[in-house]
Amino acid sequence: MCPPEIVLLKNFTHYFLHLGFPAVIAFVFYRTRWKKVYLILLATMLVDLDHLFADPVFDPNRASIGFHFLHSYYAIAVYFLLLFFKGNLRIIGIGLLFHMLTDFQDFEFWCH
Ligand SMILES: [Zn+2]
């Protein structure tokens, strides 16, 4: 079991990585059009729709990475390839890879 203050810190980290850090990426690397880039990065959270095909939809004791099909290692390889394109595809790739990193640390670095 996780002590409540650790759960709080874990949740804060999770939401910061999902919502706050993409704004930092957008502002630092795409300053002139950071709002549009931020929206694209937020939209990559739609990959979590693959959870709807799992039963139960959310299980704190299950790692998303390597389980759901949009969180599989094959999918991650495709997201990596998106980095080689220019424009919005690259931004989508950044968002998806960052999402995977967020989900990974969420499961691997904390107690459950
Ligand atoms: Zn996810």
Side-chain angles (χ1 to χ4, degrees):
M1 271 302 279
C2 254
E5 60 274 16
I6 300 293
V7 172
L8 202 70
L9 193 64
K10 177 186 172 181
N11 288 338
F12 176 81
T13 305
H14 182 86
Y15 287 107
F16 175 74
L17 289 176
H18 267 323
L19 303 172
F21 202 74
V24 175
I25 294 175
F27 197 69
V28 170
F29 296 105
Y30 298 93
R31 179 122 353 151
T32 53
R33 53 193 184 106
W34 73 272
K35 278 183 204 155
K36 188 183 166 211
V37 170
Y38 181 53
L39 285 179
I40 295 172
L41 291 173
L42 286 185
T44 61
M45 265 197 271
L46 289 172
V47 288
D48 276 343
L49 286 176
D50 64 359
H51 289 44
L52 297 177
F53 296 93
D55 184 30
V57 169
F58 180 72
D59 175 358
N61 294 312
R62 178 180 69 205
S64 298
I65 306 293
F67 183 83
H68 306 288
F69 62 92
L70 293 176
H71 291 64
S72 67
Y73 294 103
Y74 296 110
I76 293 171
V78 173
Y79 305 155
F80 185 75
L81 291 177
L82 291 178
L83 298 180
F84 293 95
F85 291 87
K86 281 196 165 118
N88 290 347
L89 273 182
R90 178 177 292 164
I91 297 166
I92 291 168
I94 293 169
L96 290 170
L97 285 175
F98 197 74
H99 180 107
M100 297 303 137
L101 210 67
T102 301
D103 284 5
F104 178 81
Q105 67 82 35
D106 204 48
F107 186 79
E108 304 293 337
F109 294 2
W110 304 85
C111 46
H112 302 274

